[in-house]
Amino acid sequence: MTAMHDLPLKSPPAAARRHPLAWVPTLYLAQGLPFYAVALVAGQMFKSMGVPNDQIARWTGAIGLAWAFKALWSPFLELAPSKRLAVVGFQLLGGAALGLVALALQLPGWFALCIALLALVALASSSHDIVADGIYIANLNEREQAAYAGYQGAFFNAAKFLSLGGLLLLAGYLEQHVGTGFAWTTVFALLGGLLALLGLYHLRALPSGPRDKPAGGKARDVAATLADVIRSFFAKPGIWVAILFIILFRAGEGQIQSIGPLFLRDARALGGLGLTTAEVGFAYGTVGTAAFLAGSVAGGYFTAWLGLRRAMLWLILAVNLPNAVFWYLSEVQPESLALITGALGVEMFGYGFGFVGVILFIMQVVASGRYQTAHYALGTGFMQLGFVLSKVVSGDIQQALGYRGFFLWVLAAALPVLVLSRFMRLEAPPGADTSNPG
């Protein structure tokens, strides 16, 4: 018997159907804004406010655990009576919390208040990701999913251009003219307002046809399915070695992404480069992001050409060797912004090129077989966990070693995953059904 969800999807009448371009780009812009606000912009704000590196890395890293563990509550979001309203609600909640960060900066005890509010942003954003992806899958057929997939990545990264690029340039300008506190109050007020406006827009723009329905069932049934998903995931042959590989893959880059932008800002007398907020926004937020996107595309084509097994060593080298750029910058401390920007472009290109490796490893090897989609979510959760763990300890290591010693340590942190890759199974096990979405 053919299930209803196996039948070809027919598009609703044109008058009743929202065109995907009316909501896909803005949906993924709204997915990226709070993520980059927590992961990158908050760190720059804390640096401007005089918070030590170890505190910045520890707290922003801990907040990132929301994205690492979101798979654990994702099945329960299927019980929402309307995915459209759930998405709008999470966007409005995230926008309100970002706006409250702006207000908290003007209050005593602002640091603790900001951490609590950013944690709320992270929980709302990670939950939003799950439901937003569900809307995308449920309302587009396979051909449309492929056709609009490029808009997902493009507008998610457009949020990075906007927040780490444009808003950092604005923050740098305002710091010089109205003071640090008011500058960052303005930035987070703009972030919160933009996310809230996107939520109000999506109240009308998101599809709300007959496919916007809860999956049905009870929380007890969902919990039983989740338990089976987790049990079958950890029953996979060699899963613990695979998890270790996933966690170690970004051990070096996770530390670079945490400390690198702070090193760019620190005074030259302290071993940094003494760049302004606006200069970091230009070098890291615009040129660096463009280089990352170019590297991601090139890495995808390279891996498709060689195959994952033959490409993996080169992907690991690509994501780690360019980290030597930061050691060079800490050793030489060049004053030329053009040289610094070019060096950061090399580092970010390598990051994008090599990052493809861990994504494809999770997709093609770890997630193969039954529950493919759910196991992919668990695999990427471990990837985020590895990133968070390296981020949390990076500040303490940097303060103990100084910048030069820290960047040498980061290069050494690549050695375990290089060694482990020589013993890893880098293809799906024989007989695994890699087409089953789970």
Side-chain angles (χ1 to χ4, degrees):
M1 173 183 276
T2 303
M4 288 298 294
H5 62 265
D6 293 327
L7 295 173
L9 301 182
K10 295 183 178 180
S11 298
R17 189 171 189 257
R18 308 287 188 190
H19 193 284
L21 287 180
W23 56 271
V24 171
T26 54
L27 182 63
Y28 285 89
L29 179 65
Q31 189 172 112
L33 281 173
F35 175 80
Y36 288 117
V38 172
L40 295 173
V41 179
Q44 290 296 305
M45 180 262 288
F46 289 139
K47 187 67 177 176
S48 290
M49 301 289 285
V51 179
N53 287 359
D54 57 339
Q55 294 290 322
I56 296 173
R58 183 178 303 123
W59 286 106
T60 57
I63 292 169
L65 288 171
W67 284 280
F69 292 112
K70 66 181 181 181
L72 298 181
W73 62 84
S74 61
F76 296 97
L77 293 174
E78 289 292 332
L79 300 177
S82 168
K83 290 184 176 66
R84 178 176 63 90
L85 293 180
V87 161
V88 170
F90 286 130
Q91 288 174 5
L92 293 177
L93 177 60
L98 287 169
L100 289 173
V101 169
L103 293 178
L105 289 171
Q106 305 300 319
L107 300 175
W110 62 270
F111 181 71
L113 288 172
C114 285
I115 292 298
L117 289 166
L118 289 170
L120 179 59
V121 172
L123 287 170
S125 176
S126 58
S127 300
H128 168 274
D129 294 355
I130 298 162
V131 190
D133 290 340
I135 287 180
Y136 183 88
I137 293 169
N139 287 278
L140 301 179
N141 59 39
E142 289 185 1
R143 181 184 61 80
E144 291 172 324
Q145 289 173 19
Y148 295 102
Y151 288 91
Q152 289 181 305
F155 279 84
F156 185 86
N157 282 285
K160 187 176 183 181
F161 271 109
L162 178 62
S163 55
L164 193 58
L167 288 180
L168 233 62
L169 289 169
L170 174 63
Y173 173 82
L174 292 176
E175 283 179 347
Q176 298 297 318
H177 292 83
V178 297
T180 300
F182 186 77
W184 289 100
T185 291
T186 302
V187 165
F188 274 89
L190 288 172
L191 279 169
L194 179 55
L195 189 56
L197 285 174
L198 287 168
L200 294 175
Y201 171 73
H202 288 142
L203 190 60
R204 293 184 59 85
L206 287 179
S208 57
R211 305 206 70 192
D212 184 24
K213 299 288 185 184
K218 299 177 180 179
R220 182 174 57 186
D221 299 328
V222 173
T225 300
L226 176 61
D228 190 47
V229 166
I230 295 173
R231 186 164 48 247
S232 61
F233 180 83
F234 288 105
K236 291 174 180 281
I239 188 61
W240 289 107
V241 178
I243 290 172
L244 181 62
F245 179 79
I246 292 168
I247 289 175
L248 291 176
F249 193 96
R250 299 178 71 191
E253 189 57 39
Q255 295 178 77
I256 285 288
Q257 291 295 307
S258 304
I259 300 301
L262 306 180
F263 157 74
L264 300 176
R265 295 281 308 280
D266 243 341
R268 289 179 172 272
L270 299 176
L273 295 188
L275 299 186
T276 66
T277 303
E279 288 171 333
V280 173
F282 169 73
Y284 219 61
T286 56
V287 176
T289 302
F292 174 83
L293 292 173
S296 298
V297 173
Y301 280 116
F302 177 80
T303 307
W305 172 52
L306 277 186
L308 182 62
R309 184 179 60 81
R310 294 170 59 198
M312 183 58 80
L313 174 62
W314 300 106
L315 297 173
I316 294 173
L317 291 174
V319 84
N320 286 286
L321 280 185
N323 292 338
V325 161
F326 276 99
W327 174 82
Y328 165 78
L329 293 176
S330 67
E331 187 72 27
V332 177
Q333 290 187 290
E335 297 186 5
S336 168
L337 182 60
L339 174 60
I340 295 169
T341 301
L344 292 175
V346 170
E347 191 272 334
M348 290 297 285
F349 181 89
Y351 176 31
F353 191 99
F355 183 66
V356 171
V358 69
I359 290 294
L360 290 177
F361 175 74
I362 297 169
M363 187 180 298
Q364 297 179 5
V365 180
V366 173
S368 61
R370 191 184 180 203
Y371 296 128
Q372 187 174 3
T373 302
H375 287 174
Y376 178 75
L378 285 170
T380 54
F382 279 109
M383 179 186 70
Q384 179 67 13
L385 179 62
F387 183 83
V388 168
L389 291 176
S390 63
K391 185 182 179 82
V392 166
V393 301
S394 61
D396 296 289
I397 296 173
Q398 183 273 315
Q399 294 214 332
L401 300 180
Y403 281 120
R404 293 179 186 177
F406 173 78
F407 292 129
L408 286 175
W409 153 257
V410 166
L411 288 170
L415 295 177
V417 75
L418 274 170
V419 173
L420 190 58
S421 70
R422 311 317 297 158
F423 303 96
M424 291 295 304
R425 175 175 56 81
L426 296 174
E427 60 232 345
D433 179 10
T434 59
S435 64
N436 177 18

